[in-house]
Amino acid sequence: MPLEIIKGEQAWQNVRHNKEARWPGLSGKERLYPVTSVGLKPSFKLKKSDSFFCIGSCFAREIEKTLFSLGFDVLSEVEQVENSSLSNKYNLPTILNELQWALEPDQSFSADLLFKLPNEITEDCHLAGSAVTGDVDYIAELHRSIQSSFKQIKNADVVVLTLGLSEVWFDRQLGIYLNKAPSRSLIKLNADRFELHTLNFKESYEYLINIYELLKKHLKPDFKILVTVSPVPLQLTFRELDVIPANTYSKSVLRTVVEEFVVAQSNVDYFPSYELVTLSYPQVVWGQKDYRHVDSLFVDYIMSVVIENYFDDVSTKSIGKTSEIAKSYLCFKNGFSSEAQSMITNSKQSVARKKLMSLYFKFLTILKMDSQKIHKLFMIKQHVKKVGFKQGLSYLLPSFFKKNKAAYSVVGYVDEWNGESIHGWAVSKSRRASSTRIKVMVNGVWIGEYDANLPRQDVVTKMGNNKLNCGFSIALKLNRDTDISTIRVFEKQSGDELKGSPFIISKDEYKQR
């Protein structure tokens, strides 16, 4: 049976009234590239007071973190588990498993579902992540914490459901699907126990309907579902197939299942995160440059689109930018400066705000700053109120009034801060045969003077001076509780600041190093 049946006259009226009916050509290419926009027609509205529960893959965790940071009531956070990714559910059958264990009185997770390996290793294929080493009691405690979290879904007003994979491992002995692949060691010990199933449309749709019926049974009568397909591609495929077409099949099945599901349910909407991510330019999307994990700034853009379309009582000011500003920022950050300027000019912002954003982008263009530093400058801008206006200016203004590179009396670069020390090199043009003295400032305070006198073969090769020792590595601990830390490095004699300085680190980045 067709998904939809539309009479001929109505179909042509749809084309006339739907401004997004035609695929964007040259005249509308800004809808696609560099950052895709999708027209939405929500069938319901959400409220700031609503409670949210996010289920699904790692992309669900990104949405969860963003909602939490915006002050929403997020029930799906697993407080007792340090690594929240353990609760990721990558396929429809295991989402159903976890919900049944949490909501049905006669079902719960059993230690019988764990696998024993030699050398006291217990493998758990129902939690995300690598195999867990430890005793059964420890792993069972992790499951109890996650089940406790999943029980909170009963109090949710909105369920955000993110569907990930169609390749699913099956345990033939217990008759249950697994959340992740059993290790090769486990396969060798149980050669006939496990097999890979590639789910088709019918199977996937039945699992999604079973999930919906379970939620309908236990949640509030007026609960809503916002469903999306995770844009994060397969890391690998177990089929005899290139991972690219394997991923296309996996996502296509889930996308078509969702379309049928949404048409059939009045309290379910599809949100096109998948389309927003996969049609945008790759350099704008992938934060870790691994072509798998979505940049947190792109998630901010996605959430700004959600807020503008689904909430009447929440302003995009709460995330610091409208979807237009978020989109233009993503473009500028990734080298599409002319597109960013055009978006600001054509946006619905006030004339004053357009001028402000345009001026800001021009400043950054003049500086020819790399994407990392652009991102950090925006972060400083957001935190100026916390650090104080005077201190904020002390970070920003020196960068705007730097001398032209050709006039510098020093060449050098601040390469990185690795969590323990700051690394780079510096050469005074007037004294290339000897070491250069540098000064280091942290958060507006001078911390010391140092000699750049360590071997740097890459610089020696480039400059053709075998006597040159110009590297530096300075032990540098930062305050983990400071929202933004700024490291600046100068050549002492001239006072010139090295390229790559200021080096700016957020509190979240500090924790990751």
Side-chain angles (χ1 to χ4, degrees):
M1 183 177 178
L3 179 69
E4 283 186 275
I5 297 176
I6 304 173
K7 292 185 177 180
E9 182 60 30
Q10 180 61 50
W12 276 108
Q13 285 187 22
N14 290 347
V15 172
R16 284 179 54 202
H17 298 300
N18 181 2
K19 63 181 181 179
E20 289 99 13
R22 297 184 186 277
W23 189 262
L26 290 176
S27 61
K29 61 182 180 180
E30 68 279 356
R31 270 229 305 137
L32 278 177
Y33 309 119
V35 180
T36 301
S37 299
V38 177
L40 298 177
K41 296 178 177 62
S43 66
F44 52 75
K45 288 289 184 177
L46 306 177
K47 303 187 297 294
K48 171 70 174 177
S49 58
D50 285 340
S51 295
F52 290 79
F53 197 98
C54 302
I55 313 174
S57 63
C58 52
F59 190 67
R61 302 284 76 76
E62 290 297 325
I63 295 173
E64 183 179 80
K65 284 189 289 187
T66 304
L67 285 170
F68 184 79
S69 69
L70 297 177
F72 287 96
D73 183 21
V74 182
L75 304 176
S76 47
E77 280 210 318
V78 187
E79 295 180 359
Q80 299 90 341
V81 176
E82 185 175 341
N83 184 0
S84 62
S85 65
L86 286 172
S87 61
N88 289 350
K89 298 298 165 189
Y90 298 113
N91 58 72
L92 283 163
T94 55
I95 291 174
L96 181 61
N97 288 346
E98 200 68 53
L99 289 172
Q100 287 175 331
W101 295 333
L103 299 176
E104 297 288 46
D106 59 337
Q107 298 190 44
S108 62
F109 183 83
S110 167
D112 294 337
L113 297 173
L114 303 175
F115 306 110
K116 298 287 184 66
L117 295 174
N119 302 323
E120 301 298 319
I121 294 177
T122 299
E123 185 167 338
D124 184 351
C125 295
H126 300 279
L127 293 180
S130 57
V132 180
T133 303
D135 59 29
V136 173
D137 291 338
Y138 168 72
I139 300 172
E141 182 59 35
L142 287 178
H143 275 282
R144 281 192 288 272
S145 296
I146 290 171
Q147 278 185 48
S148 177
S149 169
F150 267 77
K151 288 179 187 293
Q152 295 301 312
I153 198 171
K154 292 186 291 187
N155 302 314
D157 300 293
V158 184
V159 175
V160 181
L161 185 59
T162 304
L163 309 185
L165 310 177
S166 298
E167 288 188 23
V168 193
W169 283 88
F170 185 69
D171 181 347
R172 297 177 64 236
Q173 182 174 312
L174 297 178
I176 191 171
Y177 278 105
L178 308 178
N179 191 43
K180 64 179 185 181
S183 66
R184 293 184 68 185
S185 299
L186 189 56
I187 296 286
K188 287 178 181 178
L189 290 172
N190 304 271
D192 298 323
R193 180 169 178 173
F194 303 103
E195 55 191 23
L196 181 74
H197 290 187
T198 303
L199 301 185
N200 61 23
F201 175 90
K202 184 173 182 295
E203 293 167 318
S204 300
Y205 187 74
E206 287 175 356
Y207 275 106
L208 187 53
I209 289 298
N210 289 338
I211 289 168
Y212 178 75
E213 292 299 328
L214 187 62
L215 295 176
K216 191 175 174 182
K217 176 180 175 182
H218 291 279
L219 270 63
K220 303 172 184 179
D222 59 347
F223 82 99
K224 310 287 194 305
I225 296 179
L226 204 56
V227 62
T228 189
V229 173
S230 171
V232 179
L234 289 171
Q235 186 173 15
L236 58 85
T237 180
F238 291 93
R239 303 172 65 190
E240 290 185 299
L241 192 65
D242 187 307
V243 69
I244 294 175
N247 181 71
T248 300
Y249 172 82
S250 187
K251 302 299 183 180
S252 299
V253 167
L254 294 173
R255 182 62 189 88
T256 51
V257 162
V258 166
E259 193 72 12
E260 180 117 352
F261 178 59
V262 169
V263 168
Q265 314 300 335
S266 60
N267 62 336
V268 180
D269 264 12
Y270 172 71
F271 184 80
S273 301
Y274 180 76
E275 288 81 355
L276 291 175
V277 169
T278 56
L279 289 173
S280 296
Y281 274 177
Q283 60 264 47
V284 174
V285 171
W286 309 111
Q288 299 178 28
K289 304 306 178 189
D290 61 356
Y291 299 100
R292 290 195 69 247
H293 293 93
V294 181
D295 191 321
S296 60
L297 295 173
F298 202 96
V299 178
D300 283 349
Y301 165 60
I302 290 171
M303 294 310 298
S304 68
V305 176
V306 172
I307 288 172
E308 287 176 348
N309 284 274
Y310 280 91
F311 292 86
D312 291 330
D313 60 348
V314 179
S315 169
T316 47
K317 290 180 180 179
S318 61
I319 57 174
K321 54 181 84 77
T322 65
S323 61
E324 290 173 330
I325 296 298
K327 185 175 179 179
S328 60
Y329 172 37
L330 277 167
C331 288
F332 189 86
K333 170 184 177 288
N334 291 284
F336 300 98
S337 55
S338 60
E339 289 86 348
Q341 291 282 8
S342 176
M343 288 174 196
I344 292 297
T345 302
N346 298 323
S347 74
K348 299 175 184 177
Q349 306 299 311
S350 67
V351 173
R353 185 164 178 81
K354 286 182 184 180
K355 287 182 178 179
L356 177 64
M357 292 303 298
S358 181
L359 180 64
Y360 194 66
F361 283 157
K362 283 177 181 177
F363 265 132
L364 296 175
T365 303
I366 291 168
L367 293 173
K368 292 183 172 62
M369 301 180 77
D370 60 34
S371 62
Q372 181 193 52
K373 199 178 294 181
I374 292 168
H375 173 40
K376 301 301 176 54
L377 267 178
F378 269 86
M379 292 168 61
I380 288 177
K381 181 184 172 188
Q382 292 173 359
H383 287 280
V384 160
K385 288 184 179 179
K386 291 185 179 180
V387 302
F389 183 72
K390 185 176 180 181
Q391 190 178 359
L393 283 180
S394 74
Y395 293 161
L396 291 171
L397 290 181
S399 298
F400 292 144
F401 297 105
K402 275 187 177 181
K403 301 174 185 177
N404 183 280
K405 183 178 177 182
Y408 273 30
S409 62
V410 64
V411 289
Y413 201 90
V414 180
D415 294 325
E416 68 164 344
W417 177 77
N418 62 9
E420 299 290 338
S421 54
I422 189 84
H423 300 270
W425 61 276
V427 178
S428 172
K429 288 187 176 181
S430 62
R431 296 180 293 127
R432 286 199 174 191
S434 59
S435 65
T436 298
R437 191 78 170 165
I438 60 172
K439 298 170 66 177
V440 178
M441 175 187 285
V442 175
N443 295 337
V445 178
W446 293 108
I447 66 163
E449 298 180 6
Y450 308 89
D451 285 322
N453 58 6
L454 300 178
R456 281 293 296 255
Q457 188 58 46
D458 55 330
V459 180
V460 168
T461 302
K462 185 174 181 179
M463 293 191 169
N465 186 342
N466 292 328
K467 297 180 180 180
L468 190 64
N469 285 329
C470 59
F472 60 83
S473 176
I474 302 164
L476 195 60
K477 295 277 189 168
L478 300 178
N479 186 345
R480 288 180 176 270
D481 297 324
T482 302
D483 287 322
I484 296 288
S485 292
T486 303
I487 304 170
R488 300 178 67 186
V489 183
F490 302 81
E491 198 261 342
K492 180 184 176 182
Q493 187 178 40
S494 66
D496 286 339
E497 192 165 3
L498 301 190
K499 190 175 180 182
S501 173
F503 201 88
I504 304 160
I505 302 103
S506 70
K507 181 164 61 175
D508 289 340
E509 286 177 306
Y510 196 163
K511 292 177 180 177
Q512 293 170 7
R513 293 175 186 256

